[in-house]
Amino acid sequence: MRIKICGITQPQQSIAIASLGATALGFICINTSPRYVTTTQIQAAVAHLPKTIDKIGVFANASIAEISQIVSSSELTGVQLHGDESPEFCFHLRQALPQVEIIKALRIRNIEHLQEAIIYTPYIDTLLLDAYHPQQLGGTGQTLDWQMLQQFRPSCPWLLAGGLSPDNILEALSQLQPDGIDLSSGVEIKPGDKDLDKVALLFQKLGSRE
């Protein structure tokens, strides 16, 4: 299972989190976010990471040109779209960045909204389902209605996000079978500052399932 820790801002934490077992790290490229990082900061954070770690840039309503420039200069392996991007936008981004994973994040309000997620699957590699918040794009600490997701079987891999923490991860995974999980605020001291003890506890809990 993929384990993505998102909102990384500090190089030393990126290395520590990767060594604990994360398979992907997320870097917020949205300048209104408290977890925002510049291209220079991303470069420092990924410089000493193993090649096997996925390095995901998180964008919201950015242009294809802007995304492409940051992906190239930061050596990102994936792009996570967290805004109002359409399936058509995803299609054009895929043409511009054919070698880069495209993740579409959706903030799910209800079952009808969940069904809309399916229209993206032909144009992306991975779906990410997050909790809906009217003001914030992510990192809210709010959980999704897991029961609503129990019949969710998209044709592409999907990641569960939204308020996950070491305290509730086993409960979430007892109800759902996502292809991966994405955590941010649930393993933080404050936005952008990860609590390595919580990250270690997360992997301890996950290890107990095996």
Side-chain angles (χ1 to χ4, degrees):
M1 186 174 66
R2 295 180 77 181
I3 301 151
K4 176 170 170 276
I5 306 295
C6 205
I8 304 290
T9 61
Q10 301 174 32
Q12 68 274 23
Q13 289 190 350
S14 73
I15 295 165
I17 290 168
S19 68
L20 284 168
T23 63
L25 301 181
F27 302 94
I28 309 299
C29 304
I30 304 165
N31 60 16
T32 55
S33 169
R35 301 174 182 87
Y36 170 69
V37 282
T38 64
T39 300
T40 303
Q41 287 174 294
I42 299 173
Q43 288 169 337
V46 305
H48 301 292
L49 288 177
K51 296 291 185 191
T52 52
I53 302 291
D54 296 326
K55 298 166 276 288
I56 312 294
V58 180
F59 299 85
N61 304 323
S63 68
I64 289 176
E66 180 187 351
I67 294 171
S68 299
Q69 189 273 320
I70 293 173
V71 166
S72 175
S73 57
S74 305
E75 297 183 26
L76 297 173
T77 62
V79 169
Q80 180 175 313
L81 302 172
H82 230 293
D84 305 310
E85 299 87 4
S86 66
E88 182 183 27
F89 180 91
C90 297
F91 171 75
H92 291 302
L93 184 62
R94 154 65 63 245
Q95 291 182 311
L97 298 171
Q99 306 304 318
V100 172
E101 179 186 13
I102 296 177
I103 303 169
K104 180 66 181 103
L106 294 164
R107 293 169 290 151
I108 303 300
R109 279 173 280 191
N110 50 46
I111 195 75
E112 291 77 18
H113 198 215
L114 180 63
Q115 289 164 350
E116 289 176 21
I118 303 301
I119 66 174
Y120 283 91
T121 55
Y123 310 105
I124 61 172
D125 299 293
T126 309
L127 275 170
L128 183 146
L129 303 185
D130 203 350
Y132 177 77
H133 187 284
Q135 279 85 41
Q136 292 174 252
L137 292 174
T140 64
Q142 296 182 345
T143 56
L144 271 159
D145 178 356
W146 297 331
Q147 192 168 3
M148 180 173 66
L149 301 179
Q150 286 180 352
Q151 304 304 317
F152 187 61
R153 301 285 188 274
S155 59
C156 69
W158 70 282
L159 307 179
L160 177 66
L164 297 176
S165 73
D167 295 331
N168 65 14
I169 193 63
L170 294 183
E171 182 186 354
L173 295 177
S174 71
Q175 298 185 38
L176 303 170
Q177 288 82 44
D179 298 283
I181 54 175
D182 181 294
L183 290 88
S184 183
S185 61
V187 288
E188 279 183 333
I189 298 166
K190 61 181 188 291
D193 185 8
K194 301 306 178 194
D195 185 329
L196 296 179
D197 289 337
K198 284 187 177 180
V199 177
L201 180 59
L202 171 73
F203 284 101
Q204 185 182 327
K205 292 277 186 81
L206 291 171
S208 70
R209 296 173 68 236
E210 296 173 359

